[in-house]
Amino acid sequence: QKAIINYRKAIDKNLFSNDLFRKLGICYEQTSDDLLAEKFFFKALELNPNDAFTLNYLGYWWADEERNLDKAIELITRAVALEPNSGYFADSLGWVFFKMEKFDKAVDWLEKAIQLTPTDPIIADHLGDAYMKVGRRNEAIYKWKHAILLGIDKNEESKIKKKLNKIIKNE
């Protein structure tokens, strides 16, 4: 909320930049004001249509919420083209394919993401989810355990442990 106030003050002083609008969009997304978040993300992209960070953030957010998936693919694909060595952007593309239930494509992109950014626990978790969907159970278990070892936050760790316990109960 404090950041929103300060970013708004900058806007009131006509200090416009795509970076400012992206950050304001992130603040509104984090405070669950979807309409304002999207408004400021779109404004950021209006000022700089090649802002890979805004393209990726907006696309990943939509993918995570399972909405606007076709548009999310378009945005993230542009981000990946602009920053082909970003493991985070490759993860986003893999994650949107996962949400679209295109699991083979998800695995391909998430494997690329983990190669580019091998120590990110969220990417490891995403890859575990994708492996499970394509029947690669042991690899899924390994990636989920690896995500925990990499220090994933406690809320996500709890979710991973539930996935692992579900597998153990089904054995």
Side-chain angles (χ1 to χ4, degrees), residues 105-157:
K105 282 187 174 185
V107 166
D108 290 344
W109 279 100
L110 293 167
E111 285 179 337
K112 179 175 178 145
I114 205 82
Q115 289 172 353
L116 292 168
T117 311
T119 59
D120 188 271
I122 295 295
I123 296 173
D125 180 36
H126 287 170
L127 183 54
D129 290 348
Y131 278 156
M132 196 65 184
K133 289 291 187 180
V134 297
R136 294 166 66 176
R137 179 187 165 278
N138 290 338
E139 289 167 286
I141 291 168
Y142 174 81
K143 284 300 173 189
W144 288 330
K145 288 181 177 179
H146 190 66
I148 292 170
L149 289 173
L150 288 171
I152 201 162
D153 74 57
K154 294 299 176 190
N155 184 43
E156 295 301 316
E157 181 179 337

Side-chain angles (χ1 to χ4, degrees), residues 10-90:
I11 289 170
D12 290 342
K13 293 180 180 180
N14 294 321
L15 300 173
F16 301 136
S17 73
N18 75 299
D19 186 58
L20 172 67
F21 288 123
R22 177 185 351 104
K23 289 176 180 175
L24 191 52
I26 291 169
C27 289
Y28 280 119
E29 181 266 328
Q30 292 290 309
T31 58
S32 300
D33 192 333
D34 293 358
L35 291 176
L36 281 175
E38 288 179 354
K39 172 186 173 182
F40 287 105
F41 285 132
F42 292 142
K43 184 66 177 169
L45 290 173
E46 182 182 310
L47 292 174
N48 181 1
N50 293 320
D51 178 1
F53 296 100
T54 301
L55 292 165
N56 184 69
Y57 195 100
L58 180 57
Y60 181 86
W61 172 41
W62 282 344
D64 214 33
E65 292 190 350
E66 298 182 27
R67 61 190 180 99
N68 303 327
L69 294 177
D70 289 331
K71 186 68 175 168
I73 283 260
E74 179 186 317
L75 296 176
I76 298 167
T77 299
R78 285 174 49 204
V80 169
L82 291 163
E83 298 282 342
N85 294 319
S86 170
Y88 300 108
F89 295 178

